[in-house]
Amino acid sequence: MEKPEKTELTYEYTKRRKDFGRQTLFEDHGPEMLCSIPNNPSYYKDYILRNPVHVGVQNIPSMSEHWVNSVRAEYTSSGVNHVEGGWPKDINMNDPEATQRYRRKIEKDDAYIHAVMHLGHSMEHYILQNNAIDMYECYHSDLPSIPPVENSSCHTVNVYREPGARRPVRSLSWQADGGARFAVAHADIELIRSSRNPQYSYIWDIENANAPELTVKPPQPLLDFQYNPRDRDILVGGMVNGQVGWWDTRKGGEPAGVCPPHVAHRDLVRNVLFINSKIGAEFFSSSPDGVVKWWDTRNMSEPTDSMIIDIVKSATDTQNIDNAIGISALEYEPTIPTRFMVGTETGLIIGGNRKGKNALEKLPTKYEAHFGPVYALQRNPTFVKNFLTVGDWTARVWSEDCRESSILWTYSHRTKLTDGAWNPIRFSLMLVTQWDGCLSCWDLLRRRSAPIVTAQVCDEPLLRLRPHEGGLLVACGSSKGTIYLAELSQNLGTADKNDKLLLTHVLDRENKRERILEARARELRLKLRQDHAGGAQQTADADLPANDRDLEEATAEYLHTINELQAQQKDI
């Protein structure tokens, strides 16, 4: 009997040459908590008490290394050349007569007939399927190509600089019917009295950035300069001394008509807008003096109508010019001829009705929009019940059905927002200018938590913007009198067929949410009044102003909290 051959177990230890000769240093190290698993009370019933048991546990797993030579498997490849099968051994398949005789013999068999009848339907299905499908055919070649992934962008295509002085841009207006010209109003309000230079405004052609096409020469610097939506050659403007006038570009830069000083506004004119009239010659203006006036270019000797923006408490009260609220923004929708909206210097949005019979009907709605002046106010071009406001550090979207809060709003920016507008083609896109020279684009359908694009147009503050009717071009005016023409990417300037339906769902959902919150807030206020006051006290509270009622509610809530704390201290 042969002895089994001994196998030596070897271990190869490798070490780099540079590690030889170094002293091994050991040091004490305290325990380190790697994991702490709390006990589970549900496992108490399964616990069995035992005597102490000492068990050694090694935290680091043990590892070893070894090699094994397995048996090598040998494989062979073989194939079959199948020419024609199914023939018996005694039949020569190369003899046509032998194969023909055997075929006739099989065809007369009853089993063959039943087999053919049984397989005929399934074979016919696969034959027709094979004939209908061409495996080498190039399918879907007539389908349109898939559009690329959206790449939203905004870049500057042209720059227009004011000749001579560098005065801030106060107004921008594009020529009617998608024209290739825009009017710019320049004015430096702080240096008007000390400056003796001509205070001109300009009309530019977008194809020529070297020099303005026409220099407008008003008697006083213009703060607003707007094209007539029906006539490409007529413009109206408001000046710093309160006067308004109109210009015809076919007659040059001199004004065609200016109102007399004694019927003008008491303060500078911030906004002028054309209204929807039969001949297209009527417009209205607003000023920080708190008065809105309507004018007719055919007779500028006096305004055709005026309205004082003074919020009264009852229909019998009269509006007083001393209590008027200064106006900083003006909005008009041609589809609602008798209605208009103003943004005030106190942060209010007030809806006006020109055909109102008393003071309450003239100013029926009020929205507390911002903490400071309202810099921009514009209705959505498609959803006229929703409008955009820009003020302090936020831009907000409002609905006429919700007066206590906006339905959508942006986060508070680090810099002041100066102007905003809707894109006329992609009606879900909001364009907002910032004090740090950025132009931000907010798309309500793509993302509402952050702008879809933020472009650094310039280093100085951007004060005004006005998008072109085509939707792709945006004119931005800076504090140094420079106009930057920015171009949006194709996806930001065009609308898809489903955008209107999707935006309708978004606005309706947010509108419904705000109405539910308003109803809940009213219920809480009513419940609070009922808990802290009796029926007689409620009747007395109804006659008090809103501020007094809020003060009494806060006082009652404070006393109730104090009484609860005193009761708790006595119990202790």
Side-chain angles (χ1 to χ4, degrees):
M1 182 176 180
E2 296 181 358
K3 295 182 180 181
E5 185 178 356
K6 294 183 179 180
T7 303
E8 294 183 0
L9 299 177
T10 61
Y11 178 80
E12 182 180 355
Y13 180 81
T14 59
K15 190 175 183 182
R16 290 178 294 183
R17 183 64 184 84
K18 67 178 183 179
D19 295 334
F20 288 173
R22 292 192 177 184
Q23 180 183 2
T24 302
L25 299 177
F26 298 94
E27 61 181 0
D28 296 336
H29 190 275
E32 181 178 359
M33 177 67 71
L34 299 179
C35 181
S36 177
I37 303 176
N39 55 359
N40 190 350
S42 62
Y43 294 156
Y44 286 172
K45 61 182 180 179
D46 299 332
Y47 180 74
I48 300 175
L49 185 61
R50 295 178 56 188
N51 291 329
V53 178
H54 299 279
V55 178
V57 178
Q58 178 65 25
N59 185 32
I60 300 175
S62 300
M63 299 183 181
S64 62
E65 185 180 8
H66 67 280
W67 291 267
V68 175
N69 291 328
S70 59
V71 179
R72 184 181 300 274
E74 296 182 358
Y75 299 92
T76 59
S77 299
S78 60
V80 177
N81 185 16
H82 181 79
V83 179
E84 186 174 359
W87 299 98
K89 294 182 179 180
D90 55 346
I91 301 298
N92 185 9
M93 64 179 181
N94 295 323
D95 187 1
E97 294 182 1
T99 55
Q100 186 69 19
R101 287 195 302 268
Y102 184 77
R103 187 180 292 110
R104 290 176 183 176
K105 178 182 176 181
I106 295 299
E107 290 176 355
K108 293 179 181 180
D109 191 2
D110 294 338
Y112 173 78
I113 296 175
H114 290 295
V116 172
M117 295 296 295
H118 178 70
L119 298 175
H121 297 288
S122 59
M123 289 299 297
E124 182 182 6
H125 168 72
Y126 291 116
I127 290 172
L128 294 176
Q129 187 180 33
N130 182 69
N131 295 336
I133 299 176
D134 185 5
M135 61 183 301
Y136 300 104
E137 181 182 357
C138 183
Y139 293 96
H140 311 298
S141 60
D142 55 339
L143 295 180
S145 59
I146 300 176
V149 179
E150 287 188 349
N151 185 16
S152 303
S153 62
C154 177
H155 61 279
T156 305
V157 295
N158 216 337
V159 179
Y160 309 86
R161 304 185 186 278
E162 180 191 7
R166 294 289 185 265
R167 296 170 298 156
V169 175
R170 297 298 178 182
S171 174
L172 289 168
S173 178
W174 286 93
Q175 194 176 33
D177 299 330
R181 296 174 179 83
F182 59 89
V184 186
H186 297 269
D188 194 344
I189 301 176
E190 298 178 357
L191 301 177
I192 285 176
R193 296 181 180 179
S194 61
S195 177
R196 298 181 180 180
N197 296 328
Q199 305 292 340
Y200 295 154
S201 294
Y202 307 96
I203 295 177
W204 293 84
D205 188 346
I206 62 174
E207 301 295 338
N208 183 16
N210 297 324
E213 185 179 80
L214 179 64
T215 301
V216 180
K217 302 176 181 178
Q220 292 291 330
L222 290 173
L223 287 179
D224 199 3
F225 202 36
Q226 298 294 325
Y227 267 103
N228 190 332
R230 293 190 177 184
D231 194 337
R232 300 164 60 95
D233 299 317
I234 303 298
L235 299 97
V236 293
M239 291 170 270
V240 295
N241 63 344
Q243 291 180 287
V244 295
W246 67 284
W247 282 258
D248 190 346
T249 57
R250 294 166 294 190
K251 299 180 181 179
E254 298 294 336
V258 179
C259 72
H262 64 277
V263 297
H265 289 275
R266 298 184 178 183
D267 205 340
L268 50 87
V269 180
R270 290 192 183 275
N271 308 99
V272 290
L273 284 177
F274 276 95
I275 64 175
N276 189 11
S277 60
K278 294 182 179 179
I279 60 175
E282 298 182 11
F283 67 97
F284 68 131
S285 59
S286 64
S287 171
D289 62 359
V291 181
V292 178
K293 295 186 177 183
W294 283 263
W295 307 85
D296 192 336
T297 56
R298 297 170 297 178
N299 183 12
M300 297 293 293
S301 60
E302 60 179 358
T304 58
D305 194 6
S306 63
M307 182 184 298
I308 300 173
I309 306 300
D310 178 21
I311 301 176
V312 297
K313 299 179 181 179
S314 62
T316 57
D317 296 341
T318 58
Q319 294 175 327
N320 190 359
I321 187 65
D322 297 333
N323 300 327
I325 305 175
I327 302 172
S328 59
L330 188 63
E331 199 281 331
Y332 178 77
E333 174 60 37
T335 59
I336 314 176
T338 61
R339 299 291 186 93
F340 66 95
M341 299 181 71
V342 296
T344 66
E345 295 181 341
T346 59
L348 298 178
I349 302 296
I350 301 175
N353 185 5
R354 187 180 179 186
K355 300 299 182 181
K357 296 181 181 180
N358 52 47
L360 287 180
E361 293 182 358
K362 289 182 179 180
L363 302 176
T365 58
K366 181 185 72 171
Y367 308 86
E368 296 181 1
H370 298 279
F371 297 108
V374 179
Y375 297 115
L377 172 62
Q378 185 184 10
R379 289 184 183 269
N380 190 283
T382 304
F383 302 90
V384 294
K385 281 190 174 182
N386 302 98
F387 54 92
L388 168 68
T389 63
V390 175
D392 46 61
W393 299 273
T394 59
R396 299 177 179 269
V397 179
W398 296 78
S399 174
E400 291 184 348
D401 300 332
C402 300
R403 300 185 182 181
E404 295 186 6
S405 175
S406 57
I407 61 175
L408 293 170
W409 57 87
T410 66
Y411 60 83
S412 296
H413 293 69
R414 294 181 178 270
T415 57
K416 183 177 69 173
L417 304 184
T418 56
D419 199 3
W422 295 99
N423 190 299
I425 301 299
R426 185 166 187 82
F427 37 79
S428 63
L429 186 70
M430 300 187 304
L431 303 170
V432 181
T433 54
Q434 302 176 187
W435 191 259
D436 56 357
C438 291
L439 172 64
S440 57
C441 305
W442 295 76
D443 197 326
L444 302 181
L445 295 180
R446 288 182 173 88
R447 185 172 57 189
R448 283 172 283 172
S449 60
I452 196 72
V453 171
T454 300
Q456 184 72 38
V457 178
C458 58
D459 295 332
E460 65 267 17
L462 289 177
L463 301 181
R464 290 291 178 267
L465 74 86
R466 181 62 65 89
H468 189 261
E469 291 183 5
L472 295 177
L473 298 178
V474 182
C476 305
S478 70
S479 60
K480 294 185 178 180
T482 306
I483 301 93
Y484 299 90
L485 186 63
E487 183 179 6
L488 305 177
S489 59
Q490 191 69 25
N491 63 309
L492 296 180
T494 57
D496 298 334
K497 59 180 180 180
N498 296 326
D499 285 355
K500 186 174 182 180
L501 180 61
L502 294 175
L503 187 58
T504 302
H505 293 333
V506 171
L507 296 178
D508 289 346
R509 182 178 66 252
E510 298 299 329
N511 193 2
K512 183 179 179 181
R513 180 179 63 86
E514 288 299 328
R515 287 202 301 267
I516 292 174
L517 293 177
E518 289 179 5
R520 179 59 178 167
R522 286 194 296 267
E523 291 177 0
L524 294 176
R525 289 195 297 267
L526 179 60
K527 183 179 179 181
L528 186 63
R529 286 198 299 267
Q530 291 177 353
D531 292 342
H532 295 84
Q537 187 67 24
Q538 290 180 5
T539 305
D541 290 344
D543 299 333
L544 293 175
N547 295 334
D548 296 341
R549 289 199 301 270
D550 295 339
L551 180 61
E552 289 190 359
E553 292 174 2
T555 304
E557 185 179 357
Y558 173 74
L559 295 176
H560 180 68
T561 306
I562 294 298
N563 294 332
E564 288 183 352
L565 293 176
Q566 290 178 355
Q568 293 177 1
Q569 292 178 358
K570 290 180 180 179
D571 295 339
I572 295 174

